[in-house]
Amino acid sequence: MNTIQTMNPQTKEELFVEILLRLADDRLILGHRLSEWAGHGPELEEDLALANTALDMIGHASALYAYAADIDGKPDEDHYAYFRDDLDFKNIALVELPKGDFAFTIARQFLFSAYSYFLYRDLIGLVDDDQFKGMLQKHFKEIKYHLRHSREWILRLGDGTETSHIKLQKAFDELWMYTGEMFAMDNLDQKAIEHSLFTDVSKCKEEWINLVSSTLEEATINVPDNNQYMYNGARKGLHTEHLGYLLAQMQFLRRSYPDAEWK
Amino acid sequence: MQSGSKLTERTHITKEDIWSFLEEVTDPEIPVLNIVEMGIVRNVEITEGKITVRITPTYSGCPAMNAIENEINKKLSEKGLEAFEILTDYRETWTTDWMTEHAKSKLKEYGIAPPEKTDSETDFLTSLKGSQKIVPCPYCDSLETVLQSEFGSTACKSLYYCNGCSQPFEHFKCI
């Protein structure tokens, strides 16, 4: 099993699998958090929007997992989603935090979609694997929808009622310490960059900050202090307590009834 | 040869035959369109009697994709074919620009506003700051329409409301 101690990819293939899993895990876990809104959205349109976004993100994860499984010699994408434990998940902590209220969910979506926009834009420009590049291009189109949708809600909530403003400000204040991980680079990223499998995300941080800050200012929300303590380590398995509960719910059925099929 | 007869009785199956069978497979969520005019089928190859059909997904999370694969399976089996495989190919990225004009007019007749031409990439960050596109109402062609939600009943559609004929309608998103 792939754990903190043993995770040390050497070959280009192994590195590629790790990169695919990092991308996929972020998307699966956030997709799951969004799916928790199904039937609970503040209004019908938003219920649909959140469920649609969840569907997209789980779809992105599924394609990336399937490709990793191909390279890694694993049976299928389900292997990664259902049969790994919390230590083996490589997602950043931001995406595993409980869904909170609507302001929290939308604020997180906006921060993550903006990050995904720049990350995918740069990745598309450098990867040479046709299938991987094609997947990224497909996801990129959908990421733009998520970014547009969440950004509009930031403006609406921030510059809306007194209550919506307070809730949104609180959401950004709480989320901020989890944004550092998006741009934190480790040895694995560095090696992947050498093989043109990943991009130097620290380079798009400034563009991300510009987009986020200008949106928050327009929404009359204070931009939290960027020099505060930033959470780190989730990509290596140091997750918050919330991931275990999420996985317990997400993986229960598949693990209890491994041969279950939709009929 | 009559259309109902099994193909195994035939001596030769051409790519054109396969394409025409695939035209009989419709999108389960938009039954007026078949998967060829949607641009979902990218390539058909016959190598040493084995047929390979390459398809590409419309939306990443589109639940219809599995259904479409099953329908292709069913259709080709119905036609008496056995040696075939269906591959999902990501090398080309599906875009609504691949939809034929005929398909777009069928969508409109069905009550779904068809997708326009897609924007160029560079416009995106600027377009975030406003300027919604005008989508004509598929019922009365009025331009007095408003976007209700970027997300609709399926992954590929958004919701609009027409102030001309007071009707809500769906718009096939252009991607």
Side-chain angles (χ1 to χ4, degrees):
Chain A
M1 192 168 281
N2 219 358
T3 59
I4 304 177
Q5 286 77 28
T6 60
M7 189 198 74
N8 188 16
Q10 295 300 331
T11 66
K12 186 173 177 182
E13 277 70 33
E14 285 168 353
L15 270 171
F16 193 15
V17 169
E18 287 293 317
I19 290 296
L20 288 168
L21 293 182
R22 284 183 173 195
L23 286 171
D25 287 347
D26 280 353
R27 280 147 191 87
L28 176 70
I29 301 301
L30 187 52
H32 185 84
R33 281 295 185 219
L34 286 170
S35 77
E36 294 173 349
W37 279 99
H40 301 280
E43 54 182 31
L44 183 60
E45 284 78 5
E46 274 325 289
D47 206 289
L48 283 173
L50 294 172
N52 262 300
T53 310
L55 204 58
D56 284 343
M57 299 198 78
I58 294 168
H60 297 175
S62 171
L64 296 163
Y65 282 143
Y67 202 37
D70 245 14
I71 302 166
D72 200 16
K74 294 289 188 292
D76 56 18
E77 61 267 41
D78 284 1
H79 165 81
Y80 298 112
Y82 295 124
F83 299 104
R84 287 182 304 154
D85 293 327
D86 52 358
L87 278 183
D88 305 315
F89 272 80
K90 301 157 201 309
N91 58 279
I92 54 173
L94 177 84
V95 297
E96 71 200 34
L97 302 173
K99 74 180 198 301
D101 58 15
F102 183 68
F104 188 88
T105 284
I106 284 294
R108 165 165 61 187
Q109 193 60 40
F110 170 65
L111 295 171
F112 187 79
S113 296
Y115 157 69
S116 297
Y117 175 81
F118 294 115
L119 168 64
Y120 269 64
R121 183 199 63 187
D122 289 358
L123 257 184
I124 288 166
L126 71 88
V127 299
D128 48 18
D129 182 289
D130 286 350
Q131 294 287 341
F132 185 35
K133 194 178 188 135
M135 271 176 218
L136 295 171
Q137 275 167 334
K138 165 156 271 330
H139 302 175
F140 190 54
K141 293 185 178 196
E142 292 156 7
I143 287 166
K144 292 184 202 167
Y145 266 96
H146 306 162
L147 178 54
R148 186 189 296 279
H149 168 254
S150 53
R151 184 183 175 278
E152 279 168 9
W153 269 108
I154 299 304
L155 301 181
R156 223 170 282 150
L157 294 176
D159 201 12
T161 66
E162 198 186 333
T163 309
S164 72
H165 177 89
I166 291 170
K167 286 187 172 181
L168 190 67
Q169 183 67 60
K170 187 165 162 274
F172 278 111
D173 290 344
E174 284 175 13
L175 282 162
W176 210 258
M177 67 177 263
Y178 297 98
T179 59
E181 266 191 321
M182 298 191 285
F183 304 100
M185 306 278 288
D186 62 11
N187 288 341
L188 195 145
D189 292 312
Q190 297 294 353
K191 274 197 234 167
I193 290 169
E194 288 166 24
H195 286 90
S196 298
L197 292 170
F198 204 59
T199 176
D200 187 347
V201 275
S202 59
K203 283 189 185 152
C204 50
K205 188 176 180 181
E206 203 180 311
E207 281 180 286
W208 178 85
I209 288 180
N210 286 343
L211 175 62
V212 170
S213 311
S214 65
T215 304
L216 263 56
E217 278 157 23
E218 198 180 334
T220 69
I221 294 287
N222 295 326
V223 182
D225 176 14
N226 224 10
N227 294 318
Q228 65 177 288
Y229 165 75
M230 290 286 175
Y231 190 94
N232 202 0
R235 291 227 189 272
K236 289 195 167 69
L238 302 172
H239 291 284
T240 66
E241 65 180 294
H242 308 295
L243 183 64
Y245 293 101
L246 181 152
L247 294 180
Q249 190 195 38
M250 187 179 81
Q251 297 177 330
F252 162 75
L253 190 88
R254 196 80 179 96
R255 289 192 178 204
S256 303
Y257 304 94
D259 301 322
E261 272 182 50
W262 290 106
K263 289 283 182 195
Chain B
M1 174 139 310
Q2 286 175 350
S3 58
S5 59
K6 293 270 181 180
L7 266 168
T8 37
E9 296 160 22
R10 279 191 172 184
T11 48
H12 189 64
I13 301 154
T14 63
K15 281 193 210 176
E16 288 67 35
D17 294 329
I18 308 292
W19 279 104
S20 70
F21 300 154
L22 294 171
E23 278 173 7
E24 295 172 27
V25 179
T26 53
D27 182 320
E29 285 179 343
I30 311 160
V32 288
L33 296 184
N34 72 57
I35 58 172
V36 174
E37 59 194 355
M38 288 273 294
I40 291 172
V41 182
R42 298 316 300 155
N43 192 21
V44 174
E45 275 167 50
I46 305 177
T47 319
E48 293 170 8
K50 194 181 176 194
I51 301 155
T52 307
V53 177
R54 287 181 185 273
I55 55 173
T56 199
T58 50
Y59 276 79
S60 302
C62 181
M65 281 318 290
N66 272 337
I68 287 172
E69 210 176 312
N70 292 340
E71 288 298 312
I72 299 175
N73 248 311
K74 228 166 80 188
K75 180 59 69 183
L76 296 184
S77 302
E78 241 170 56
K79 299 289 181 183
L81 300 172
E82 280 167 8
F84 62 85
E85 61 173 347
I86 303 157
L87 298 178
T88 306
D89 200 327
Y90 288 96
R91 282 176 300 181
E92 292 179 288
T93 309
W94 188 80
T95 160
T96 40
D97 293 345
W98 290 349
M99 229 183 247
T100 60
E101 284 311 311
H102 182 61
K104 288 183 184 175
S105 64
K106 279 206 282 186
L107 266 184
K108 184 171 184 284
E109 255 169 65
Y110 190 60
I112 299 173
E116 325 77 77
K117 204 96 184 73
T118 51
D119 285 340
S120 66
E121 295 291 322
T122 45
D123 295 337
F124 179 72
L125 283 180
T126 339
S127 79
L128 266 180
K129 310 231 158 100
S131 91
Q132 288 295 343
K133 263 179 269 176
I134 294 166
V135 176
C137 172
Y139 302 115
C140 70
D141 295 314
S142 163
L143 299 179
E144 300 296 314
T145 61
V146 278
L147 176 68
Q148 300 279 95
S149 171
E150 292 263 11
F151 298 88
S153 60
T154 66
C156 55
K157 286 173 271 174
S158 49
L159 287 175
Y160 277 77
Y161 186 81
C162 175
N163 287 325
C165 63
S166 306
Q167 283 276 354
F169 67 91
E170 290 189 302
H171 169 232
F172 202 109
K173 294 189 226 176
C174 50
I175 61 165

Short mmCIF file of all heavy atoms in Angstrom, two decimals, chain A residues 125-157:
data_model
loop_
_atom_site.label_atom_id
_atom_site.label_comp_id
_atom_site.label_asym_id
_atom_site.label_seq_id
_atom_site.Cartn_x
_atom_site.Cartn_y
_atom_site.Cartn_z
N GLY A 125 -0.53 23.78 -21.54
CA GLY A 125 0.54 24.32 -22.38
C GLY A 125 1.81 23.48 -22.40
O GLY A 125 2.62 23.65 -23.29
N LEU A 126 1.99 22.60 -21.41
CA LEU A 126 3.29 21.93 -21.34
C LEU A 126 3.26 20.42 -21.47
O LEU A 126 4.28 19.83 -21.82
CB LEU A 126 4.05 22.35 -20.08
CG LEU A 126 3.55 21.87 -18.72
CD1 LEU A 126 4.17 20.52 -18.37
CD2 LEU A 126 3.96 22.88 -17.65
N VAL A 127 2.13 19.76 -21.18
CA VAL A 127 2.17 18.29 -21.22
C VAL A 127 2.18 17.80 -22.67
O VAL A 127 1.62 18.43 -23.56
CB VAL A 127 0.99 17.63 -20.46
CG1 VAL A 127 1.02 18.01 -19.00
CG2 VAL A 127 -0.34 17.98 -21.07
N ASP A 128 2.88 16.66 -22.88
CA ASP A 128 2.96 16.17 -24.26
C ASP A 128 2.18 14.87 -24.47
O ASP A 128 2.10 14.37 -25.57
CB ASP A 128 4.42 16.01 -24.70
CG ASP A 128 5.26 15.27 -23.66
OD1 ASP A 128 4.66 14.61 -22.80
OD2 ASP A 128 6.50 15.39 -23.70
N ASP A 129 1.60 14.33 -23.40
CA ASP A 129 0.81 13.11 -23.52
C ASP A 129 -0.58 13.48 -24.08
O ASP A 129 -1.32 14.25 -23.47
CB ASP A 129 0.68 12.47 -22.14
CG ASP A 129 -0.09 11.17 -22.16
OD1 ASP A 129 -1.32 11.21 -22.37
OD2 ASP A 129 0.53 10.13 -21.97
N ASP A 130 -0.93 12.91 -25.26
CA ASP A 130 -2.17 13.30 -25.96
C ASP A 130 -3.43 13.10 -25.13
O ASP A 130 -4.31 13.96 -25.10
CB ASP A 130 -2.33 12.47 -27.24
CG ASP A 130 -1.38 12.91 -28.31
OD1 ASP A 130 -0.75 13.97 -28.12
OD2 ASP A 130 -1.26 12.20 -29.33
N GLN A 131 -3.53 11.92 -24.51
CA GLN A 131 -4.75 11.61 -23.76
C GLN A 131 -4.88 12.53 -22.54
O GLN A 131 -5.95 13.07 -22.26
CB GLN A 131 -4.75 10.15 -23.30
CG GLN A 131 -4.84 9.13 -24.40
CD GLN A 131 -6.24 9.05 -25.04
OE1 GLN A 131 -7.24 9.48 -24.46
NE2 GLN A 131 -6.30 8.50 -26.22
N PHE A 132 -3.78 12.71 -21.82
CA PHE A 132 -3.77 13.56 -20.63
C PHE A 132 -4.14 14.99 -21.02
O PHE A 132 -4.99 15.64 -20.41
CB PHE A 132 -2.38 13.50 -19.98
CG PHE A 132 -2.26 14.24 -18.68
CD1 PHE A 132 -3.31 14.30 -17.77
CD2 PHE A 132 -1.06 14.88 -18.34
CE1 PHE A 132 -3.18 14.98 -16.56
CE2 PHE A 132 -0.92 15.56 -17.13
CZ PHE A 132 -1.98 15.61 -16.25
N LYS A 133 -3.51 15.47 -22.06
CA LYS A 133 -3.77 16.83 -22.53
C LYS A 133 -5.24 17.00 -22.92
O LYS A 133 -5.88 18.00 -22.59
CB LYS A 133 -2.88 17.12 -23.73
CG LYS A 133 -2.80 18.58 -24.09
CD LYS A 133 -1.86 18.77 -25.28
CE LYS A 133 -1.62 20.22 -25.54
NZ LYS A 133 -0.22 20.54 -25.77
N GLY A 134 -5.77 16.00 -23.63
CA GLY A 134 -7.17 16.04 -24.03
C GLY A 134 -8.12 16.11 -22.84
O GLY A 134 -9.09 16.87 -22.84
N MET A 135 -7.80 15.31 -21.81
CA MET A 135 -8.62 15.34 -20.59
C MET A 135 -8.59 16.73 -19.97
O MET A 135 -9.61 17.27 -19.57
CB MET A 135 -8.02 14.38 -19.55
CG MET A 135 -8.52 12.98 -19.62
SD MET A 135 -7.61 11.97 -18.41
CE MET A 135 -7.46 10.50 -19.38
N LEU A 136 -7.37 17.28 -19.87
CA LEU A 136 -7.22 18.60 -19.24
C LEU A 136 -8.02 19.66 -20.01
O LEU A 136 -8.68 20.51 -19.43
CB LEU A 136 -5.74 19.00 -19.18
CG LEU A 136 -4.82 18.14 -18.29
CD1 LEU A 136 -3.37 18.52 -18.51
CD2 LEU A 136 -5.18 18.31 -16.83
N GLN A 137 -7.97 19.56 -21.35
CA GLN A 137 -8.68 20.55 -22.16
C GLN A 137 -10.19 20.45 -21.94
O GLN A 137 -10.89 21.45 -21.90
CB GLN A 137 -8.34 20.36 -23.63
CG GLN A 137 -7.05 21.08 -23.98
CD GLN A 137 -6.49 20.68 -25.31
OE1 GLN A 137 -6.72 19.57 -25.80
NE2 GLN A 137 -5.72 21.56 -25.92
N LYS A 138 -10.64 19.22 -21.79
CA LYS A 138 -12.07 19.00 -21.55
C LYS A 138 -12.47 19.57 -20.19
O LYS A 138 -13.44 20.29 -20.06
CB LYS A 138 -12.35 17.50 -21.65
CG LYS A 138 -13.67 17.08 -21.10
CD LYS A 138 -14.14 15.78 -21.69
CE LYS A 138 -14.96 15.93 -22.94
NZ LYS A 138 -15.75 17.07 -23.17
N HIS A 139 -11.67 19.23 -19.17
CA HIS A 139 -11.99 19.70 -17.82
C HIS A 139 -11.94 21.24 -17.74
O HIS A 139 -12.72 21.87 -17.04
CB HIS A 139 -11.01 19.12 -16.80
CG HIS A 139 -10.99 17.62 -16.77
ND1 HIS A 139 -10.12 16.90 -16.01
CD2 HIS A 139 -11.76 16.71 -17.42
CE1 HIS A 139 -10.33 15.60 -16.20
NE2 HIS A 139 -11.31 15.46 -17.06
N PHE A 140 -10.99 21.80 -18.47
CA PHE A 140 -10.77 23.24 -18.45
C PHE A 140 -12.04 24.01 -18.83
O PHE A 140 -12.39 25.02 -18.22
CB PHE A 140 -9.62 23.57 -19.40
CG PHE A 140 -9.12 24.99 -19.31
CD1 PHE A 140 -8.72 25.52 -18.10
CD2 PHE A 140 -9.02 25.78 -20.45
CE1 PHE A 140 -8.24 26.82 -18.01
CE2 PHE A 140 -8.54 27.08 -20.37
CZ PHE A 140 -8.15 27.61 -19.15
N LYS A 141 -12.73 23.48 -19.84
CA LYS A 141 -13.97 24.14 -20.27
C LYS A 141 -14.99 24.18 -19.13
O LYS A 141 -15.72 25.15 -18.97
CB LYS A 141 -14.59 23.36 -21.44
CG LYS A 141 -13.77 23.39 -22.70
CD LYS A 141 -14.53 22.70 -23.81
CE LYS A 141 -13.74 22.76 -25.11
NZ LYS A 141 -14.57 22.45 -26.26
N GLU A 142 -15.04 23.10 -18.39
CA GLU A 142 -16.03 23.02 -17.31
C GLU A 142 -15.61 23.85 -16.09
O GLU A 142 -16.45 24.45 -15.41
CB GLU A 142 -16.27 21.55 -16.95
CG GLU A 142 -16.96 20.85 -18.11
CD GLU A 142 -16.76 19.35 -18.17
OE1 GLU A 142 -16.18 18.76 -17.25
OE2 GLU A 142 -17.19 18.75 -19.16
N ILE A 143 -14.29 23.88 -15.86
CA ILE A 143 -13.77 24.69 -14.75
C ILE A 143 -14.19 26.16 -14.93
O ILE A 143 -14.54 26.85 -13.98
CB ILE A 143 -12.22 24.58 -14.70
CG1 ILE A 143 -11.83 23.20 -14.18
CG2 ILE A 143 -11.61 25.68 -13.85
CD1 ILE A 143 -10.37 22.84 -14.39
N LYS A 144 -14.21 26.61 -16.18
CA LYS A 144 -14.61 28.00 -16.44
C LYS A 144 -16.05 28.26 -16.00
O LYS A 144 -16.37 29.32 -15.46
CB LYS A 144 -14.47 28.33 -17.92
CG LYS A 144 -13.03 28.36 -18.38
CD LYS A 144 -13.01 28.79 -19.83
CE LYS A 144 -11.75 28.37 -20.53
NZ LYS A 144 -11.85 28.51 -21.98
N TYR A 145 -16.90 27.27 -16.22
CA TYR A 145 -18.28 27.41 -15.76
C TYR A 145 -18.36 27.50 -14.24
O TYR A 145 -19.11 28.29 -13.69
CB TYR A 145 -19.12 26.21 -16.22
CG TYR A 145 -19.85 26.48 -17.51
CD1 TYR A 145 -19.31 26.08 -18.72
CD2 TYR A 145 -21.06 27.17 -17.50
CE1 TYR A 145 -19.96 26.34 -19.90
CE2 TYR A 145 -21.71 27.44 -18.67
CZ TYR A 145 -21.16 27.03 -19.88
OH TYR A 145 -21.81 27.31 -21.04
N HIS A 146 -17.55 26.65 -13.58
CA HIS A 146 -17.57 26.64 -12.11
C HIS A 146 -17.05 27.98 -11.57
O HIS A 146 -17.56 28.49 -10.59
CB HIS A 146 -16.70 25.51 -11.57
CG HIS A 146 -17.05 24.16 -12.13
ND1 HIS A 146 -16.22 23.08 -12.07
CD2 HIS A 146 -18.17 23.72 -12.76
CE1 HIS A 146 -16.79 22.03 -12.64
NE2 HIS A 146 -17.98 22.40 -13.08
N LEU A 147 -16.02 28.49 -12.24
CA LEU A 147 -15.43 29.75 -11.79
C LEU A 147 -16.43 30.90 -11.98
O LEU A 147 -16.64 31.73 -11.09
CB LEU A 147 -14.13 30.01 -12.56
CG LEU A 147 -13.39 31.31 -12.25
CD1 LEU A 147 -13.12 31.45 -10.75
CD2 LEU A 147 -12.07 31.39 -13.01
N ARG A 148 -17.06 30.93 -13.13
CA ARG A 148 -18.02 31.99 -13.42
C ARG A 148 -19.18 31.95 -12.42
O ARG A 148 -19.56 32.97 -11.84
CB ARG A 148 -18.55 31.84 -14.84
CG ARG A 148 -19.47 32.98 -15.29
CD ARG A 148 -20.12 32.66 -16.61
NE ARG A 148 -19.17 32.52 -17.70
CZ ARG A 148 -18.64 33.56 -18.37
NH1 ARG A 148 -18.97 34.78 -18.03
NH2 ARG A 148 -17.79 33.36 -19.33
N HIS A 149 -19.69 30.76 -12.23
CA HIS A 149 -20.84 30.58 -11.34
C HIS A 149 -20.51 30.98 -9.90
O HIS A 149 -21.24 31.74 -9.26
CB HIS A 149 -21.30 29.11 -11.41
CG HIS A 149 -22.28 28.73 -10.35
ND1 HIS A 149 -21.94 27.95 -9.27
CD2 HIS A 149 -23.59 29.02 -10.21
CE1 HIS A 149 -23.01 27.78 -8.51
NE2 HIS A 149 -24.03 28.41 -9.05
N SER A 150 -19.36 30.49 -9.37
CA SER A 150 -19.03 30.79 -7.98
C SER A 150 -18.67 32.27 -7.82
O SER A 150 -19.03 32.89 -6.82
CB SER A 150 -17.90 29.89 -7.48
OG SER A 150 -16.78 29.94 -8.33
N ARG A 151 -18.01 32.84 -8.82
CA ARG A 151 -17.61 34.24 -8.72
C ARG A 151 -18.84 35.14 -8.63
O ARG A 151 -18.88 36.09 -7.84
CB ARG A 151 -16.76 34.64 -9.92
CG ARG A 151 -16.23 36.07 -9.85
CD ARG A 151 -15.46 36.46 -11.07
NE ARG A 151 -15.09 37.86 -11.00
CZ ARG A 151 -15.90 38.87 -11.32
NH1 ARG A 151 -17.12 38.63 -11.75
NH2 ARG A 151 -15.48 40.12 -11.22
N GLU A 152 -19.85 34.83 -9.42
CA GLU A 152 -21.06 35.65 -9.38
C GLU A 152 -21.74 35.59 -8.01
O GLU A 152 -22.29 36.58 -7.53
CB GLU A 152 -22.02 35.23 -10.50
CG GLU A 152 -21.60 35.86 -11.82
CD GLU A 152 -22.29 35.29 -13.03
OE1 GLU A 152 -23.25 34.51 -12.86
OE2 GLU A 152 -21.87 35.63 -14.15
N TRP A 153 -21.68 34.41 -7.40
CA TRP A 153 -22.26 34.29 -6.06
C TRP A 153 -21.46 35.06 -5.02
O TRP A 153 -22.01 35.59 -4.06
CB TRP A 153 -22.38 32.82 -5.65
CG TRP A 153 -23.72 32.26 -6.04
CD1 TRP A 153 -23.98 31.37 -7.03
CD2 TRP A 153 -24.99 32.60 -5.46
NE1 TRP A 153 -25.33 31.12 -7.10
CE2 TRP A 153 -25.98 31.86 -6.15
CE3 TRP A 153 -25.40 33.45 -4.43
CZ2 TRP A 153 -27.34 31.94 -5.85
CZ3 TRP A 153 -26.75 33.54 -4.12
CH2 TRP A 153 -27.70 32.79 -4.83
N ILE A 154 -20.14 35.14 -5.20
CA ILE A 154 -19.31 35.91 -4.26
C ILE A 154 -19.77 37.37 -4.28
O ILE A 154 -19.98 37.99 -3.24
CB ILE A 154 -17.80 35.81 -4.63
CG1 ILE A 154 -17.31 34.37 -4.57
CG2 ILE A 154 -16.96 36.72 -3.74
CD1 ILE A 154 -17.50 33.64 -3.28
N LEU A 155 -19.99 37.90 -5.49
CA LEU A 155 -20.44 39.30 -5.61
C LEU A 155 -21.81 39.47 -4.97
O LEU A 155 -22.08 40.42 -4.25
CB LEU A 155 -20.49 39.71 -7.08
CG LEU A 155 -19.18 39.62 -7.87
CD1 LEU A 155 -19.39 40.08 -9.30
CD2 LEU A 155 -18.08 40.45 -7.20
N ARG A 156 -22.69 38.53 -5.25
CA ARG A 156 -24.08 38.61 -4.76
C ARG A 156 -24.14 38.52 -3.24
O ARG A 156 -24.86 39.27 -2.59
CB ARG A 156 -24.87 37.44 -5.37
CG ARG A 156 -26.24 37.83 -5.86
CD ARG A 156 -26.84 36.68 -6.65
NE ARG A 156 -26.29 36.60 -8.00
CZ ARG A 156 -26.15 35.46 -8.69
NH1 ARG A 156 -26.48 34.30 -8.14
NH2 ARG A 156 -25.69 35.48 -9.90
N LEU A 157 -23.37 37.58 -2.67
CA LEU A 157 -23.43 37.39 -1.21
C LEU A 157 -22.67 38.49 -0.49
O LEU A 157 -23.12 39.02 0.52
CB LEU A 157 -22.84 36.03 -0.82
CG LEU A 157 -23.59 34.78 -1.28
CD1 LEU A 157 -22.81 33.53 -0.89
CD2 LEU A 157 -24.99 34.72 -0.68
#
